[in-house]
Amino acid sequence: FERAAELAGRGDVKAARLAAAARHAATAGDPRRARALLDRLGTLTLTAETRGQAELLHGGLELRGGETGNACDKFLAAAGWLLDRDRELGVRALVRAAEAGYFAGDIQRFLAIAHRAAALRRPDDRAATQLMFDYLAGMAATFRGRHDEAAGPLRRVMRLSASVHDPAMLVWAGVAGLMLGEDEHALTLATRSVESARSHGAVAALPQLLESVIHAEFWMGRYASMAVHALEGLRLAQETGRLNSAGHHLAWLSLVAAVQGDEETCRIRAGAAFELADAHGLGLPAVLGDWALAHVDLAAGRVAEAAARLGARRRRDHLVTRVMAIPTFIEATARTGDRRKAQVALGVLDRWVGSTRSPDRRALAMRCHALLAGPGEAEALFGEALELHRQGACEFETARTRLLYGEALRRERRPGTARQHLHGALETFERLGARLWAEQARGELRAAGQSVRPARPPLAEPLTAQQSQIARMVAEGATNREVAARLFLSPRTVEHHLRNIFVKLGVRSRVELSRLLS
């Protein structure tokens, strides 16, 4: 397209071909070349359609690598040029503008754009256009807390997804599924979007698309798979200049580290996510990073710090993530004795969970009710939560509920029954590598009168995703400090991983590792 633009005689034809070249450069993961090509449009005659397409591309580059507020303005400008000329592309620009507001944590701007879009609907719109209108309507109702009103359009989005193949639309359908609590369906849609992008060589889209896969995996408790996808997303985001996506992946990786009880890695990655959030106007990495750090605080017994961290409001907020973190907030505030704040938060959680079909979410809400229950009421509520967990998919949260139930039973001086739940929790935590939570379970078992064996040494097993990445980098000659800088780890953590890698692979030196992997 760039060569064709050089051969074109007329200004508007040349501009259209340069815009097409810029679009393909951005899709292939070369944002610098895309921006350079767009800059060349400034001296040319542009049709309204070409101008709109250029603004849409500018918005996409800003959304993933620049300032989210600027991205929203670019998308709205694109919609103004395109709606009367390419209706589907114009509506897409509106959805992308709303998405930029969502990423920045500016829910009011999302609502204003959704309101504008609602007035543009037509009964004869194609399926893809209907999907986008329904997505905006459903998410706007969700953000207003009108979950029953949101259910209709969100379910239509999921039905319409069967007739589209565009990766972005599949992601929006996946988000609709997550809001409805249909996590497996959401994961299927997100996986389809990634596969579609890979098959078309759309490298630059992969970091964002992998975020949707990770979000679904989180609800299903698939933390090892989350780490695999987040490490890939971080690498691709760095390679393609998608710094905003890098911030999102760092925040998800900090939450995985929190579940594993790796406090040092959690803090390094959350800190890096905060820096990108502040620099680029992002809400999700900021709130997700706070949640990860609060999770570590809670696991380490620092309940007041956890409650304060989740209770504080950042300048950049993110409503969905804040609601997702409510069970952690309620546990922390219940332990500090601030029941009023916990009850208010539980009301928000109940309204969302009640509109979903997810046993995992309903189990978390029931566990929160048990934590805030009066004397004699908690046991039945914990039992109900465990029954819902059995219908769900998240083993980690099931173990967390068993730990809390066991603690409550021990305090009621029923150590025998308590030990049954505490043993089950400990076994799951050890299998998942959740070190701090395993220590809590051991402490509760000792308090219940049970002698507890020390932590088991790790069994011989394949390398984790992170260990594989470290092994490859070391085999290629990277020092521990270089590995730490690229993966947002401490040199000490890299050294610890490297020792485990040597044991698992049966090698004794970096030279032997290099030979083995070559």
Side-chain angles (χ1 to χ4, degrees), residues 265-340:
T265 298
C266 178
R267 292 191 182 283
I268 290 171
R269 288 175 168 170
F274 293 150
E275 288 181 13
L276 286 168
D278 291 340
H280 295 260
L282 301 170
L284 187 146
V287 178
L288 199 55
D290 276 333
W291 183 12
L293 293 174
H295 195 289
V296 166
D297 286 334
L298 191 60
R302 300 186 294 265
V303 294
E305 290 91 331
R309 197 183 297 278
L310 290 178
R313 294 278 173 170
R314 284 183 168 268
R315 183 171 65 88
R316 299 288 182 183
D317 208 344
H318 194 271
L319 179 62
V320 171
T321 309
R322 189 168 289 282
V323 172
M324 288 168 61
I326 283 178
T328 307
F329 177 71
I330 288 174
E331 182 176 345
T333 50
R335 287 179 178 276
T336 61
D338 193 345
R339 300 175 66 85
R340 184 188 63 80

Side-chain angles (χ1 to χ4, degrees), residues 121 127-139 150-164 168-177 180 185 189:
R121 296 195 74 153
T129 309
Q130 290 179 37
L131 182 151
M132 291 188 284
F133 280 128
D134 279 324
Y135 173 74
L136 288 175
M139 293 302 291
L154 292 179
R155 293 200 184 286
R156 286 196 295 273
V157 168
M158 295 186 72
R159 284 199 300 271
L160 289 165
S161 68
S163 61
V164 300
M169 292 185 187
L170 292 172
V171 165
W172 295 329
V175 172
L180 294 167
H185 196 166
L189 290 166

Side-chain angles (χ1 to χ4, degrees), residues 142 147-148 151 154-155 176-183 219 349-363 365 388:
T142 296
H147 300 293
D148 291 338
L154 292 179
R155 293 200 184 286
L178 290 171
M179 294 301 100
L180 294 167
E182 298 187 15
D183 303 323
W219 280 113
L349 183 65
D350 277 340
R351 285 193 292 277
W352 176 40
V353 166
S355 70
T356 76
R357 299 173 181 175
S358 167
D360 290 302
R361 289 167 181 65
R362 288 159 56 207
L388 287 165

Side-chain angles (χ1 to χ4, degrees), residues 46-169:
L46 305 182
T47 64
E49 188 170 350
T50 299
R51 186 177 296 279
Q53 291 172 353
E55 292 285 13
L56 186 60
L57 181 53
H58 266 301
L61 292 169
E62 282 293 307
L63 182 61
R64 289 299 160 186
E67 167 63 47
T68 50
N70 292 342
C72 190
D73 293 339
K74 293 288 186 184
F75 286 134
L76 289 174
W81 288 103
L82 291 169
L83 280 167
D84 292 335
R85 297 166 180 86
D86 186 331
R87 179 171 169 76
E88 187 172 310
L89 201 58
V91 175
R92 178 187 286 266
L94 283 179
V95 178
R96 298 299 302 279
E99 189 177 40
Y102 169 77
F103 285 148
D106 189 348
I107 299 303
Q108 292 307 312
R109 197 165 197 186
F110 185 105
L111 295 175
I113 294 168
H115 179 74
R116 174 185 170 185
L120 299 173
R121 296 195 74 153
R122 295 176 186 167
D124 60 344
D125 279 325
R126 296 175 60 232
T129 309
Q130 290 179 37
L131 182 151
M132 291 188 284
F133 280 128
D134 279 324
Y135 173 74
L136 288 175
M139 293 302 291
T142 296
F143 293 153
R144 291 190 177 100
R146 302 172 185 171
H147 300 293
D148 291 338
E149 178 185 323
L154 292 179
R155 293 200 184 286
R156 286 196 295 273
V157 168
M158 295 186 72
R159 284 199 300 271
L160 289 165
S161 68
S163 61
V164 300
H165 304 284
D166 180 273
M169 292 185 187

Side-chain angles (χ1 to χ4, degrees), residues 31-52:
R32 288 186 182 180
R33 188 176 186 187
R35 289 182 186 277
L37 288 163
L38 288 173
D39 288 344
R40 291 170 61 184
L41 296 178
T43 60
L44 300 176
T45 302
L46 305 182
T47 64
E49 188 170 350
T50 299
R51 186 177 296 279

Side-chain angles (χ1 to χ4, degrees), residues 7 26 66 93 128 182 191 200 207 233 292 352 396 434 445 457:
L7 297 172
E182 298 187 15
T191 303
H200 289 89
W352 176 40
F396 174 75
L445 278 167

Side-chain angles (χ1 to χ4, degrees), residues 18 26 76 81 101 148 163 166 173-174 193 238 283 289 294 298 315 343 367 374 415-416 464 503 512:
L18 283 174
L76 289 174
W81 288 103
D148 291 338
S163 61
D166 180 273
S193 74
Q238 291 171 321
L298 191 60
R315 183 171 65 88
Q343 289 287 3
R367 181 174 85 196
T464 66
V503 170
E512 288 186 17

